[in-house]
Amino acid sequence: MHRGGGGASGSGQNAAEMRSFNQPCRTCPLRDRPGLVAPDAGQREWIERHRAGERAVPRGEEVLRQGAPGSRLFTVLEGVLMRSRLLEDGRRQVVNIMFPGDLVGLQAAFDGEMGHGVTALTDTRLCLFPRDRFMELVTDQPRFAYDVIWLSAREEDALEQHLVALGQRPARERVAYLALWLVERGLQTGLVAPDSAVATLHVPITQGQIADMLGLSLVHTNRTLQALRKAGQVDWNGTRIAIPQLETVRAMVGFDPRGLPKRPYI
Amino acid sequence: MHRGGGGASGSGQNAAEMRSFNQPCRTCPLRDRPGLVAPDAGQREWIERHRAGERAVPRGEEVLRQGAPGSRLFTVLEGVLMRSRLLEDGRRQVVNIMFPGDLVGLQAAFDGEMGHGVTALTDTRLCLFPRDRFMELVTDQPRFAYDVIWLSAREEDALEQHLVALGQRPARERVAYLALWLVERGLQTGLVAPDSAVATLHVPITQGQIADMLGLSLVHTNRTLQALRKAGQVDWNGTRIAIPQLETVRAMVGFDPRGLPKRPYI
DNA sequence: ACCCGTTTGTGTCATTTGACATAGCCGAGC
DNA sequence: GCTCGGCTATGTCAAATGACACAAACGGGT
């Protein structure tokens, strides 16, 4: 992980882990997110019929383990998670960050086995679907099929952007890109106040995790973060990402405003 | 493109470009590919009803241009293509390589605008779908919805693997990884003879394109290719990729045999 | 309040990779 | 057969990034 250096591990099972409960879709916390379009009453009814309840996952907990069977998918109701792949020798690549409304676990629903692990970065609530019931939902209700494909296409687009960052951007631009991408995602899902003077996203991410997402060493990540902070462009500490000059950073990164259509969710 | 250095461009329109014609699905060249499952007669009927014919694209031609409207999708019938993203300043990231059976253009079908360009690496035949008719196909026929989601999930998986390569692998391993990935893909789609002593895929790819796919400079790519050739591990020239010791390279790259389920196509 | 593991920060040096410059090669067109 | 442009190859040097070693801050648990 992050190019050598000692590593953290999965950490312990505490009592609060994975409490599960059930709320009607009417009160779904996703309903009033600015960048999301809520399903109508008819859709909600279908969703309620197919889902298997909710689950709360505390910060730091691993939700799905790479290599595990992967018999369920979920939609993120609240919180932020990290999707990552491990190589045999311990190197780790953080592949993407998941926000409220995102659908997680689709790939494993086909492959049978998780190609990546998923870990909660904040306390999180998830809406669970057993794999088979989810497939029914998709094949019986064209509207859901359409939405799932829509979400897949978006996810693919996000991965392409990350790929461009890793392949073409130098460290500094890379970090700025990631910060911006996260903040934009936060704006979209209502985690970032759109009117505040300095766009700020509160998510605990360690420098090691940033390093593993951007393919940089931990040390170099640290130095790059400091440089960006000193330049007044991005101020990112372990708790929160602040972008004092949003427009400057957008220009540096070549921000494409096309990336912000309203997203459906399931 | 490939970290500075002079660049090639889109190249000229020649007479043979984009000839279009129509063959029944019964004679579809994808039918007997080893790693693909062909649609049954009923599905073929639906496909024939929704598709808009075929198109032949000569090697080197750009099939879809980044930023263009993106009003159609297609399935690759024959040949190999390259999907790439351009930054404003000319840097280019090759995002993935498309093989027979792959579905291209899904993202743009939703966004309205192509996020990447698609270029034919070999002479190519495509099966075209107008965007709207394709959506009908998907929403009317659950089986196709299922298959499209399946293909999306696989594409996402591929991009994740590339992301790991760019983020975690040093140059040499990166090149070996790409060579192996391409050859495995070739095996799957019948472009690589499974029994030959040396697994070999015939596709013309320039070192500049490899560089732009792996996020390496052209010069370094060149040297890395030579090193791999000298080591007898991967012999990759502008015409063809040969992997003399398939198992050795699989071990070096941590090849995951899970990646080879039979693929549906549309 | 103390301990201890994790995270952040800093200095120094090694390595990988990139930049530039230039030459040979090879295929396409005249 | 020659010229031309893109591709491949090679040498030399510079820059970006990684490795290692260690200190300081932080945070959770007892």
Side-chain angles (χ1 to χ4, degrees):
Chain A
M1 2 183 107
H2 46 257
R3 282 309 137 75
S9 61
S11 87
Q13 325 279 82
N14 66 21
E17 175 191 3
M18 301 244 173
R19 223 157 47 76
S20 103
F21 46 89
N22 223 315
Q23 294 287 332
C25 289
R26 272 187 303 98
T27 65
C28 177
L30 295 177
R31 290 206 63 194
D32 301 314
R33 300 283 170 176
L36 302 182
V37 285
D40 60 34
Q43 292 178 296
R44 287 205 306 272
E45 191 192 329
W46 279 98
I47 293 175
E48 270 172 345
R49 207 174 312 178
H50 285 76
R51 72 189 200 140
E54 303 180 6
R55 178 161 290 184
V57 180
R59 160 179 168 184
E61 215 62 44
E62 192 175 39
V63 179
L64 297 168
R65 173 165 277 119
Q66 180 169 347
S71 49
R72 53 178 192 269
L73 341 194
F74 56 81
T75 291
V76 180
L77 296 179
E78 264 178 22
V80 179
L81 305 98
M82 176 180 81
R83 217 148 60 81
S84 59
R85 286 196 172 214
L86 246 46
L87 300 191
E88 308 66 30
D89 59 359
R91 285 175 289 180
R92 174 179 68 169
Q93 176 66 33
V94 175
V95 158
N96 204 4
I97 307 287
M98 314 305 289
F99 283 78
D102 283 356
L103 181 63
V104 182
L106 196 57
Q107 166 264 337
F110 293 95
D111 276 13
E113 187 180 327
M114 292 294 298
H116 50 250
V118 179
T119 306
L121 291 174
T122 68
D123 288 348
T124 292
R125 289 206 314 159
L126 310 173
C127 180
L128 291 185
F129 296 89
R131 163 195 167 138
D132 297 337
R133 308 261 3 188
F134 184 83
M135 291 306 181
E136 277 175 38
L137 187 61
V138 162
T139 48
D140 294 357
Q141 297 293 314
R143 173 56 198 271
F144 290 113
Y146 186 91
D147 286 345
V148 171
I149 296 173
W150 197 98
L151 289 171
S152 294
R154 285 264 99 215
E155 178 70 10
E156 197 181 309
D157 188 70
L159 295 190
E160 283 190 17
Q161 289 181 244
H162 299 336
L163 219 31
V164 173
L166 292 204
Q168 305 303 326
R169 299 190 193 276
R172 201 180 161 131
E173 206 179 308
R174 229 184 274 187
V175 172
Y177 157 77
L178 180 57
L180 180 60
W181 189 86
L182 291 170
V183 166
E184 295 288 354
R185 226 49 199 74
L187 276 165
Q188 208 178 16
T189 50
L191 302 182
V192 172
D195 45 354
S196 83
V198 177
T200 304
L201 173 67
H202 289 268
V203 179
I205 303 184
T206 70
Q207 295 181 359
Q209 289 164 340
I210 301 173
D212 284 348
M213 177 139 193
L214 295 178
L216 298 169
S217 73
L218 175 53
V219 177
H220 198 56
T221 300
N222 177 302
R223 292 184 168 131
T224 306
L225 284 169
Q226 293 180 56
L228 284 167
R229 193 175 308 145
K230 213 157 292 172
Q233 295 173 324
V234 175
D235 185 352
W236 187 345
N237 68 25
T239 308
R240 135 246 100 162
I241 310 168
I243 307 191
Q245 315 159 343
L246 196 53
E247 290 311 322
T248 310
V249 173
R250 279 179 172 162
M252 156 164 49
V253 171
F255 173 70
D256 178 358
R258 183 173 49 74
L260 310 162
K262 285 218 172 195
R263 307 167 66 101
Y265 60 88
I266 292 174
Chain B
M1 4 184 104
H2 46 257
R3 281 310 137 73
S9 61
S11 86
Q13 324 278 79
N14 65 21
E17 177 191 0
M18 301 246 173
R19 223 156 46 76
S20 103
F21 46 90
N22 224 314
Q23 294 288 332
C25 289
R26 273 188 302 99
T27 64
C28 176
L30 295 177
R31 291 205 62 194
D32 302 314
R33 299 283 170 176
L36 302 182
V37 286
D40 60 33
Q43 292 178 295
R44 287 205 307 271
E45 191 192 331
W46 280 97
I47 294 175
E48 270 172 346
R49 207 173 313 178
H50 286 76
R51 73 188 198 141
E54 302 180 6
R55 181 162 287 183
V57 181
R59 161 180 169 184
E61 215 62 44
E62 193 176 40
V63 179
L64 297 168
R65 173 166 279 121
Q66 181 170 346
S71 50
R72 54 177 191 270
L73 341 193
F74 57 80
T75 291
V76 180
L77 296 179
E78 264 178 21
V80 179
L81 305 96
M82 176 179 82
R83 215 148 61 82
S84 58
R85 285 195 173 215
L86 246 46
L87 300 191
E88 307 66 30
D89 60 358
R91 284 175 288 180
R92 173 179 69 169
Q93 176 66 34
V94 175
V95 157
N96 204 3
I97 306 287
M98 314 305 288
F99 282 78
D102 284 356
L103 182 63
V104 182
L106 196 56
Q107 165 266 337
F110 292 94
D111 277 13
E113 187 180 327
M114 292 294 298
H116 50 249
V118 180
T119 307
L121 290 173
T122 68
D123 289 347
T124 293
R125 288 205 316 161
L126 310 173
C127 181
L128 292 184
F129 296 89
R131 163 194 167 141
D132 298 337
R133 308 262 1 191
F134 184 83
M135 291 307 183
E136 278 176 37
L137 187 61
V138 162
T139 49
D140 293 358
Q141 297 293 316
R143 173 57 198 271
F144 289 114
Y146 186 91
D147 286 345
V148 170
I149 296 172
W150 198 98
L151 288 172
S152 294
R154 285 264 97 216
E155 178 70 10
E156 197 181 309
D157 187 70
L159 294 190
E160 283 191 15
Q161 288 182 245
H162 299 338
L163 220 31
V164 173
L166 292 206
Q168 305 302 327
R169 299 189 193 277
R172 203 182 159 125
E173 206 178 308
R174 227 183 274 186
V175 173
Y177 157 77
L178 179 56
L180 180 61
W181 189 86
L182 291 170
V183 166
E184 295 289 354
R185 237 26 212 83
L187 276 165
Q188 209 178 13
T189 49
L191 301 183
V192 172
D195 45 355
S196 83
V198 178
T200 304
L201 173 66
H202 289 269
V203 179
I205 303 184
T206 70
Q207 295 182 358
Q209 289 163 341
I210 301 173
D212 285 348
M213 176 139 194
L214 295 178
L216 298 169
S217 74
L218 175 52
V219 175
H220 198 56
T221 300
N222 177 301
R223 292 185 167 128
T224 306
L225 285 169
Q226 293 180 56
L228 284 167
R229 194 174 308 146
K230 215 159 290 174
Q233 294 172 326
V234 175
D235 184 353
W236 187 343
N237 68 25
T239 309
R240 139 241 99 166
I241 309 167
I243 307 190
Q245 314 160 345
L246 195 53
E247 290 312 322
T248 311
V249 173
R250 279 179 171 161
M252 155 164 49
V253 171
F255 172 71
D256 178 359
R258 182 174 50 73
L260 309 163
K262 286 216 172 197
R263 306 168 66 100
Y265 60 88
I266 292 173

